[in-house]
Amino acid sequence: MVDMMHRARILAYSGTFIALIAAGSWISIPLPPVPLTLQTLFVLLSGIVMKRYGAIPVALYVLLGAAGLPVYHNGTAGLGVLLGPTGGFLIGFIPAALVAGIAYEHESPASRITGLIAACAIYLLAGAVWLSYSASIPLLQAVLLGVAPFIIGDAVKAAAAYAIGKRVA
């Protein structure tokens, strides 16, 4: 019985977080080549709320967008987006949610904060590496274009996710 309840909760939360991540993608400030969105807030929250299972809705979100549902930033979709300059960030969301979730399986605030920082570093690193490759630019230039402008915003979103997590997790 407990197993069925756990599965039902994972299913319900997965649908909710897929919708929230997709909605967060519409709240966007277009910065070339990578827009600033609220997706990352909901990716982190999926890990906070669902623990290690938070990677499930994020992976499904990425798959739904790759399959053609317009869930990526500003309603974009398809494999072209994953192969474009923002694809590394999207793929990096999956291990980021997993890391945040594993960190939230521990009670220690230090572990949780470290996990959120590591999660942000994961998707930023994945995004920078893929941006460098897909745009054929040096890694340093990719970091300057795809990471540096987002550090403050991601710190604010991580802090917001931590504050929300104190109430819901």
Side-chain angles (χ1 to χ4, degrees):
M1 178 86 125
V2 172
D3 191 48
M4 296 267 298
M5 288 295 291
H6 183 65
R7 288 181 184 183
R9 191 169 287 132
I10 289 171
L11 185 60
Y13 280 144
S14 291
T16 301
F17 279 110
I18 291 168
L20 286 171
I21 296 167
S25 74
W26 279 93
I27 301 167
S28 173
I29 298 171
L31 300 174
V34 181
L36 175 68
T37 70
L38 278 183
Q39 292 167 299
T40 52
L41 172 66
F42 297 117
V43 167
L44 295 174
L45 280 173
S46 72
I48 289 170
V49 171
M50 296 180 67
K51 310 300 186 260
R52 69 182 60 223
Y53 300 103
I56 294 170
V58 178
L60 290 172
Y61 165 79
V62 171
L63 287 173
L64 288 170
L69 255 59
V71 294
Y72 296 151
H73 59 281
N74 298 326
T76 58
L79 286 175
V81 177
L82 285 180
L83 297 175
T86 61
F89 295 96
L90 293 167
I91 296 297
F93 287 166
I94 300 167
L98 179 64
V99 166
I102 291 171
Y104 263 77
E105 290 176 358
H106 299 80
E107 295 294 322
S108 162
S111 294
R112 291 176 172 189
I113 291 168
T114 302
L116 290 175
I117 292 168
C120 291
I122 287 169
Y123 66 73
L124 289 171
L125 178 63
V129 168
W130 184 253
L131 177 60
S132 172
Y133 175 77
S134 68
S136 299
I137 59 175
L139 185 58
L140 179 60
Q141 186 178 0
V143 168
L144 292 174
L145 288 171
V147 175
F150 302 99
I151 290 175
I152 293 172
D154 284 349
V156 169
K157 288 183 267 186
Y162 181 78
I164 293 167
K166 286 173 118 177
R167 301 224 182 244
V168 300

